[in-house]
Amino acid sequence: GESVGLHLPTLSVQEGDNSIINCAYSNSASDYFIWYKQESGKGPQFIIDIRSNMDKRQGQRVTVLLNKTVKHLSLQIAATQPGDSAVYFCAENAYQAGTALIFGKGTTLSVSS
Amino acid sequence: EPEVTQTPSHQVTQMGQEVILRCVPISNHLYFYWYRQILGQKVEFLVSFYNNEISEKSEIFDDQFSVERPDGSNFTLKIRSTKLEDSAMYFCASSQGLPPYEQYFGPGTRLTVT
């Protein structure tokens, strides 16, 4: 697998590897976090979310980790497939602040077979 | 599965012209949003709309922008006098409720201002 300690705009992995995409969020009051996948020419697609009262949440082949101490969010994709190639964005929301999702910079994941 | 739809997929307009971007949110959703994404950059919140009024807007959403729900199904974004820097992908989204209800995004309209 390949991990990235800091946010990088691109990540290239081999099919079958585990991928880790990182995100630093900005607002310490944020209490809801989401990972979105965006394929070329399409809108953001929900992958997984996590609330601030949790530090880990698992879905199908994906895991989100939240470290509130350092305001860091990561997305782990197990057994990465070519269909996972896309741009991945984290987004944050503070319930008290309103409805807006604040998106982070994207990471382009390229999976080669 | 229900989805958010947007028309047109691509709109080309001249600077100074008015454009209307259209969206059909998911039918039982109550909150509607517009976001934009300038090429190669992150997605930015513009406005949210609930109960026939704006509930929140960003600094980007100035007097040149307006939103409307003209009937029970459509949700529109109007830009009164387009500028070159308005060129971007515009995404409509809808949700059943406030976060953490999921916001479902449409495929976007690419606006090109020449």
Side-chain angles (χ1 to χ4, degrees), chain A residues 63-79:
Chain A
T63 300
V64 55
L65 298 177
L66 174 63
N67 185 332
K68 294 181 287 293
T69 303
V70 294
K71 293 192 288 187
H72 183 267
L73 194 67
S74 69
L75 176 70
Q76 300 177 3
I77 305 174

Side-chain angles (χ1 to χ4, degrees), chain A residues 40-88:
Chain A
S40 181
K42 296 184 178 180
Q45 179 186 1
F46 174 93
I47 303 174
I48 191 168
D49 60 4
I50 189 167
R51 302 190 197 190
S52 60
N53 61 352
M54 303 172 71
D55 53 22
K56 180 179 179 179
R57 188 156 187 240
Q58 287 185 287
Q60 188 176 19
R61 282 201 308 119
V62 294
T63 300
V64 55
L65 298 177
L66 174 63
N67 185 332
K68 294 181 287 293
T69 303
V70 294
K71 293 192 288 187
H72 183 267
L73 194 67
S74 69
L75 176 70
Q76 300 177 3
I77 305 174
T80 315
Q81 302 168 359
D84 294 327
S85 295
V87 180
Y88 290 81

Side-chain angles (χ1 to χ4, degrees), chain A residues 5-27:
Chain A
L6 300 173
H7 171 263
L8 292 179
T10 60
L11 176 63
S12 297
V13 301
Q14 292 285 320
E15 183 177 2
D17 282 354
N18 296 328
S19 303
I20 300 176
I21 300 170
N22 294 302
C23 175
Y25 63 93
S26 55
N27 186 359

